[in-house]
Amino acid sequence: VKAPTVTPDVAALRADLAPHTVESIAELIGPVAVAALDREQAVPALRATEGRELGLIGPGLVGPRTDASATTALLRLFVLGAGVTRAQLDQALPRTGTAGCARLGLIEAAGNDADDAVRALVDLQPYATQDAAGSVQWWLASDRGELATGRSLRPDHVLGVGGASLTLARATVREPRHRVLDLGTGCGVQALHATRHSAAVVGTDVSPRALRFAAFNAALAGVAIELREGSLLEPVAGETFDLVVSNPPFVITPRTAGGVPRFEYRDGGLAGDDVVRDLVTGVGAVLEPGGVAQLLANWEHRRGQDWRDRVGEWLDAAGVDAEGLDAWVVQREVLDPAEYAETWLRDGGTTSDRDPAAWESGYRAWLDDFEARDVEAVGFGLVVLRKPAQAGARTSLRRLEDVGSPVARPLGEHVASVLRAHDWLTAHDDAALADARLVVAPDVVEDRHHTPGSADPAMVRLRQGDGFARAVTVGTAVAAVVGACDGELSLGPIIGAVAGLLGRPTAEVTAEVLPVVRDLLLDGFLRVG
Ligand SMILES: C[S@@+](CC[C@H](N)C(=O)[O-])C[C@H]1O[C@@H](n2cnc3c(N)ncnc32)[C@H](O)[C@@H]1O
């Protein structure tokens, strides 16, 4: 795929789209219609925009253009699947016009008259979010979904931005990088995010169609992304990157003939969770020393085996050990086999009322497939791998855990701080830790739960507002030590004073407090002052 090129039509379109934003659409249709669109329901937005597009006031003549009427026409055409007229589109995009949109492959016009109908060939909408590098706003093209077409998706459907895309974009470490790889780039959203903090960005995909969308979106955003066609790590074999991000086709799909439709965007073509296993075990080979990989993934829970042990075997194969990679695996959600089948049947456009036969056969195919491998549930989560910056034996991070809280805020800085904290902790033994001055992170609060009438708390919990919004229950000694961590005194004297207050031996309190303080440092409750 050629490097994205900014043709005069793309430049015109960028200028035409600039006044229209996620906010202007929200203002136009209101929060109820916005929320309905998120659920793939177009009716409230169609109602809210009816008659508000540029009105024809005579043969070939339209009313005055306003930003709101232009936003209406763009929304109805490119998102809601409603037609507009040529004159309306010419007015909404005055520099590009219907002719420019047709040259770009965005629309098809029924004819050359002002009131001839124009229909969209792609979904085109603004995208705005916050990542750890600040707020972003781009226009992104992708394939039109069922909402606009009323038809099932094609097998090579190119997905727009979804919940998983947002989760990964928010969780990505946004430190300055030299080379970033976005594996399975789709419409290019992760690659676009990466251009904001990396000198070079490579996006790969098996789908030539996806790469064409990514190239268009990069050109429209005015950024450079190198795009390569190929499967998994094959297009970048022998190269290295200091950040790899991937929202891969991780959906576990039955491989029985005629069972379930296959969609390139979610199905990597291997049995079970083998695509994820191959990525987790293989991605270390393309990491620079100090480089980080962040992957979204599904993994099977097999009968009689803890999911941590199974994913842990992949980490062993990936080289997560004293000389090798660091690994942090966060399981955020678990679905049972039936919930999993329903989720992905619906995602593919099959519903029990629209096509009961396909629903039942697909449902059965999923359950049969899971049963064949003793799969009791499927976990969804985030995998973070890091190659050590220097060779040599060290204590690698190896953490597999369940964290249920949603990723609504940028998490990238939190992920980076956990990796930094791990490095600090491994470089400081307990004596050095006791010499450190620590402070409580500003997002941490303490909850004290009292049994009615009692003066002493029955339970003390520390809760963080940022990161994964964790809450930990701590004992009296730890609570007192944390409460005194204001960066003035080092940890050792604080522990000594708390031991004195509690009338307990200092060595005993030290042995109780230090391991907990290590966990609190790793999770960002405490920081080195
Ligand atoms: C879930 S989409 C992610 C799109 C985008 N990166 C995002 O975050 O929204 C997965 C992408 O992986 C691509 N893909 C499927 N099989 C692949 C493979 N074997 N190697 C590389 N990419 C693949 C699909 O075409 C699709 O674009």
Side-chain angles (χ1 to χ4, degrees):
V1 171
K2 283 197 295 272
T5 43
V6 182
T7 62
D9 282 330
V10 171
L13 183 63
R14 190 190 305 155
D16 277 341
L17 292 175
H20 310 290
T21 61
V22 168
E23 269 170 25
S24 63
I25 289 178
E27 259 169 44
L28 187 74
I29 61 177
V32 171
V34 169
L37 278 180
D38 284 343
R39 299 190 304 273
E40 300 270 305
Q41 298 301 320
V43 175
L46 282 167
R47 268 184 87 247
T49 52
E50 261 148 28
R52 296 182 64 183
E53 64 273 55
L54 298 158
L56 284 174
I57 55 175
L61 289 174
V62 289
R65 175 184 185 276
T66 64
D67 276 352
S69 56
T71 308
T72 304
L74 295 176
L75 179 68
R76 288 179 66 82
L77 175 64
F78 285 117
V79 179
L80 303 177
V84 300
T85 64
R86 204 175 170 111
Q88 286 166 341
L89 185 58
D90 284 343
Q91 286 259 320
L93 299 174
R95 298 170 188 80
T96 323
T98 305
C101 287
R103 283 193 296 273
L104 289 168
L106 304 176
I107 58 103
E108 201 171 57
N112 288 322
D113 289 343
D115 52 2
D116 277 334
V118 173
R119 103 188 158 86
L121 299 175
V122 302
D123 181 293
L124 180 66
Q125 51 182 305
Y127 161 71
T129 191
Q130 291 260 327
D131 69 13
S135 45
V136 297
Q137 174 109 236
W138 297 296
W139 276 79
L140 295 178
S142 60
D143 267 324
R144 301 194 316 148
E146 273 188 277
L147 176 146
T149 63
R151 286 195 306 271
S152 324
L153 306 181
R154 40 189 290 169
D156 61 353
H157 178 82
V158 177
L159 211 56
V161 174
S165 327
L166 283 173
T167 298
L168 181 61
R170 287 176 179 149
T172 299
V173 173
R174 299 287 172 201
E175 290 166 345
R177 302 285 172 179
H178 299 293
R179 286 191 89 212
V180 175
L181 168 65
D182 173 18
L183 193 153
T185 195
C187 73
V189 58
Q190 310 297 338
L192 282 179
H193 276 277
T195 60
R196 287 154 41 81
H197 61 107
S198 179
V201 179
V202 176
T204 64
D205 209 292
V206 277
S207 159
R209 189 175 172 78
L211 292 173
R212 284 197 295 276
F213 274 110
F216 175 79
N217 289 331
L220 191 56
V223 299
I225 297 171
E226 188 190 332
L227 294 163
R228 301 192 199 163
E229 188 180 330
S231 182
L232 300 181
L233 291 160
E234 175 261 325
V236 294
E239 299 177 39
T240 53
F241 300 86
D242 47 7
L243 176 66
V244 177
V245 290
S246 186
N247 171 10
F250 55 68
V251 178
I252 296 162
T253 310
R255 303 262 145 239
T256 41
V260 176
R262 311 265 165 90
F263 297 108
E264 227 167 18
Y265 69 83
R266 66 182 208 190
D267 171 15
L270 299 184
D273 51 18
D274 286 356
V275 163
V276 174
R277 180 204 58 198
D278 287 359
L279 260 183
V280 170
T281 55
V283 75
V286 301
L287 286 181
E288 285 276 310
V292 172
Q294 295 188 258
L295 321 169
L296 293 186
N298 273 187
W299 43 79
E300 296 180 345
H301 291 206
R302 300 274 176 87
R303 187 165 297 121
Q305 188 181 26
D306 191 302
W307 73 269
R308 291 172 200 80
D309 295 334
R310 183 147 186 284
V311 176
E313 286 167 7
W314 300 347
L315 300 183
D316 294 337
V320 175
D321 57 32
E323 303 260 333
L325 301 177
D326 291 311
W328 181 19
V329 182
V330 178
Q331 178 167 275
R332 301 188 50 240
E333 200 183 350
V334 179
L335 296 183
D336 69 32
E339 290 170 322
Y340 197 85
E342 290 164 27
T343 300
W344 295 109
L345 278 164
R346 278 195 209 103
D347 171 85
T350 306
T351 61
S352 52
D353 41 352
R354 204 192 298 167
D355 191 346
W359 176 264
E360 179 169 345
S361 68
Y363 210 138
R364 282 177 180 276
W366 245 296
L367 297 184
D368 290 346
D369 182 55
F370 283 141
E371 196 173 83
R373 288 188 305 280
D374 270 345
V375 176
E376 291 182 321
V378 178
F380 168 82
L382 177 70
V383 178
V384 182
L385 296 169
R386 181 178 59 162
K387 194 162 191 157
Q390 276 127 26
R394 50 194 269 287
T395 309
S396 60
L397 176 69
R398 187 191 177 94
R399 202 175 186 205
L400 299 101
E401 59 178 342
D402 285 279
V403 183
S405 58
V407 181
R409 282 174 296 258
L411 256 188
E413 177 43 34
H414 178 67
V415 173
S417 74
V418 169
L419 295 175
R420 280 195 300 269
H422 171 73
D423 292 340
W424 189 91
L425 287 164
T426 54
H428 291 76
D429 61 12
D430 281 355
L433 175 59
D435 277 344
R437 289 183 169 75
L438 306 181
V439 289
V440 181
D443 61 311
V444 170
V445 295
E446 185 188 81
D447 293 335
R448 287 176 174 254
H449 299 253
H450 291 257
T451 307
S454 112
D456 294 326
M459 185 171 83
V460 179
R461 266 156 45 107
L462 301 175
R463 268 193 306 118
Q464 64 182 174
D466 288 340
F468 280 113
R470 293 174 196 261
V472 285
T473 303
V474 291
T476 314
V478 171
V481 168
V482 169
C485 283
D486 59 2
E488 290 290 316
L489 279 180
S490 50
L491 189 59
I494 293 178
I495 293 175
V498 168
L501 278 175
L502 297 175
R504 291 174 55 193
T506 302
E508 184 189 289
V509 176
T510 304
E512 177 189 326
V513 168
L514 286 190
V516 183
V517 164
R518 283 188 178 273
D519 287 346
L520 293 174
L521 276 163
L522 187 65
D523 286 333
F525 286 84
L526 288 173
R527 294 178 186 167
V528 180

